[in-house]
Amino acid sequence: MRGIHVGTAAGIPIKLHWTFLIVLPLFAAAIGWDIGLLAEVVSELPGDDVDPGALEGEYQPWLLGLVAAVGLFVGVFLHELGHSLVALRYGYEIESITLWLLGGLANFTEMPRDWRHEFAISVMGPIVSVGVGVACYLGFLLTPAGADAPRFVLGYLAVLNVVLAGFNMLPAFPMDGGRVLRALLARSRSHAKATQQAAEVGKLFAFFLGLVGLFSANIILVILAFFIYIAASSEAQQTVMSAAFEGVTVADIMTERDRLDVVAPDVSLAALVDRMLEERHTGYPVVDNGDFVGMITLGDVQDVDPVEREAFTVGDVMAEDIVTTSPETEAMDALRTLQEHDIGRLPVVEDGELVGLVSRTDLMTAFNILRTRNVDRVAPDADDVTAGPGQEAGSPLERTGRR
Ligand SMILES: [Zn+2]
């Protein structure tokens, strides 16, 4: 997730997503709007009451709302930092902590596979939130009874941080509680199976959360439900794919050079289209006297006016700046590269020479076959698996890349 870089904590870049910049004033306004009601809620806390009348001055509710909203996001940030510090201790790398529409997100370059690691990392966020809530409550108690504004903010943050901790512990994968559930399930099952089951529970929770959001007209809850549903499905699918592709390299599934249809740069586009139809390929590596020089796809041809396709050659329109892969690359990494660059095929290059081609279709077909083959095999132990999918990895669903 991209965002504005605003600082660094424990070596981790902190970012603000553009949705955060919208949601912060909205939160501030919502708190300011309901300040009388919220003051009554805060007054329920053991300790002296907060006087709603003192808070409802001319501009004070909005100002207090802003301070409370900023405090809330500081709490969210500390929550994410809690996850991150435990993860760093186990040797995981954290790309960034981003504050966005739905709170915070710590981006891991690699997801923990050891259930103990995942358990410890997941519970630390809510533990920090409870700690922040308790600290705010102590501040609330220690602040003199007459100081209604700071006491309101502290009381509000005390309640909200504890509510946040409780909410995050719902077993709605990929929220913290869902990750704890997966970690506990993974003690006696494969990582992939545990993920699938936790994701099912997560989707069920997302469904109910969405219903509650609809009936209470709470738009944030509805968005959160959508997010949980999509993230649960996506991560489950990624994990299943990683498990199926374990130990499989590009060399295992690529179309090798001697079986590969290639095209020369001096062929006209019109002739290329005829060949595409005949061979039903939509992309070719371009090879000039044995040297790999570029890639040409149906999309590149479509960019040229039909009447000019006789005059243009493959060499004129081919892409020369090509993302490539190597035969030893893990199949799952190749799939991720295809998704990141939104392309349909990767030339496989070894020592500067074209040795094959791997396409999305190859990978998806291989995945379906591997899954069928692996059905009755015992799934790998969690400790044997090295690289996991990034938290932010996109949907592994097959997309038809233009290139
Ligand atoms: Zn968390």
Side-chain angles (χ1 to χ4, degrees):
M1 186 178 286
R2 292 200 191 113
I4 311 160
H5 189 265
V6 287
T8 308
I12 306 163
I14 305 157
K15 294 178 180 175
L16 300 182
H17 192 244
W18 67 268
T19 50
F20 168 79
L21 302 174
I22 293 175
V23 85
L24 183 74
L26 281 181
F27 260 71
I31 297 167
W33 185 264
D34 273 337
I35 203 145
L37 190 73
L38 292 172
E40 279 171 40
V41 173
V42 170
S43 295
E44 295 290 321
L45 287 171
D48 291 317
D49 286 356
V50 173
D51 174 19
L55 302 176
E56 288 171 321
E58 271 293 298
Y59 57 93
Q60 232 184 350
W62 310 97
L63 194 64
L64 283 176
L66 186 64
V67 174
V70 169
L72 201 56
F73 274 99
V74 170
V76 167
F77 165 72
L78 292 173
H79 172 112
E80 296 304 325
L81 195 62
H83 289 309
S84 303
L85 291 179
V86 178
L88 286 177
R89 255 202 57 182
Y90 285 127
Y92 297 96
E93 205 184 310
I94 314 290
E95 230 164 69
S96 63
I97 293 177
T98 308
L99 294 180
W100 69 305
L101 180 67
L102 300 176
L105 203 62
N107 292 321
F108 288 63
T109 49
E110 176 196 331
M111 296 302 281
R113 289 302 188 103
D114 185 320
W115 74 265
R116 296 169 203 87
H117 294 182
E118 174 156 60
F119 182 86
I121 293 169
S122 303
V123 294
M124 193 44 86
I127 288 174
V128 168
S129 290
V130 171
V132 171
V134 169
C136 289
Y137 179 59
L138 288 177
F140 170 81
L141 288 181
L142 293 174
T143 309
D148 285 297
R151 291 186 71 254
F152 166 75
V153 173
L154 287 166
Y156 174 81
L157 291 178
V159 174
L160 257 286
N161 275 288
V162 172
V163 168
L164 192 75
F167 189 71
N168 270 293
M169 282 307 284
L170 288 178
F173 186 83
M175 292 207 309
D176 298 334
R179 294 194 181 277
V180 168
L181 176 66
R182 173 170 71 179
L184 295 176
L185 288 171
R187 285 187 304 174
S188 53
R189 303 165 177 70
S190 73
H191 185 75
K193 187 86 206 150
T195 305
Q196 265 179 310
Q197 291 178 343
E200 287 309 314
V201 177
K203 285 196 259 184
L204 200 68
F205 258 93
F207 181 73
F208 283 114
L209 216 58
L211 277 186
V212 171
L214 280 179
F215 281 115
S216 61
N218 187 332
I219 187 80
I220 288 280
L221 217 52
V222 175
I223 295 172
L224 185 68
F226 265 108
F227 170 76
I228 290 172
Y229 194 91
I230 290 163
S233 314
S234 164
E235 190 160 337
Q237 205 170 3
Q238 288 271 354
T239 310
V240 170
M241 289 188 113
S242 293
F245 276 137
E246 204 217 338
V248 178
T249 63
V250 166
D252 297 328
I253 47 179
M254 69 181 185
T255 306
E256 280 162 39
R257 175 68 182 87
D258 54 346
R259 288 194 295 129
L260 197 60
D261 297 311
V262 299
V263 66
D266 55 0
V267 171
S268 80
L269 293 185
L272 176 67
V273 174
D274 291 342
R275 242 191 96 181
M276 283 180 166
L277 182 63
E278 199 178 299
E279 292 168 354
R280 281 166 312 279
H281 294 316
T282 54
Y284 290 87
V286 185
V287 174
D288 189 14
N289 287 324
D291 292 332
F292 171 59
V293 292
M295 287 287 292
I296 181 119
T297 64
L298 187 59
D300 297 328
V301 179
Q302 282 163 348
D303 290 341
V304 176
D305 200 291
V307 294
E308 291 173 24
R309 285 181 194 157
E310 270 311 335
F312 277 90
T313 66
V314 166
D316 295 331
V317 296
M318 68 181 184
E320 287 169 88
D321 187 19
I322 307 292
V323 186
T324 63
T325 187
S326 70
E328 314 83 64
T329 304
E330 303 250 343
M332 194 65 200
D333 290 334
L335 182 62
R336 240 172 257 142
T337 308
L338 286 170
Q339 286 165 352
E340 267 164 36
H341 296 273
D342 196 22
I343 49 180
R345 49 189 72 72
L346 280 173
V348 186
V349 175
E350 193 175 33
D351 301 325
E353 234 171 85
L354 182 72
V355 294
L357 186 77
V358 65
S359 69
R360 263 174 208 265
T361 319
D362 292 336
L363 283 157
M364 297 313 296
T365 308
F367 167 66
N368 282 325
I369 296 167
L370 285 165
R371 199 169 48 166
T372 310
R373 195 182 71 175
N374 293 353
V375 145
D376 9 78
R377 278 221 243 138
V378 181
D381 194 82
D383 297 327
D384 297 337
V385 187
T386 47
Q391 186 160 10
E392 267 211 305
S395 161
L397 284 174
E398 186 171 14
R399 282 174 294 179
T400 42
R402 191 189 73 81
R403 277 148 290 164

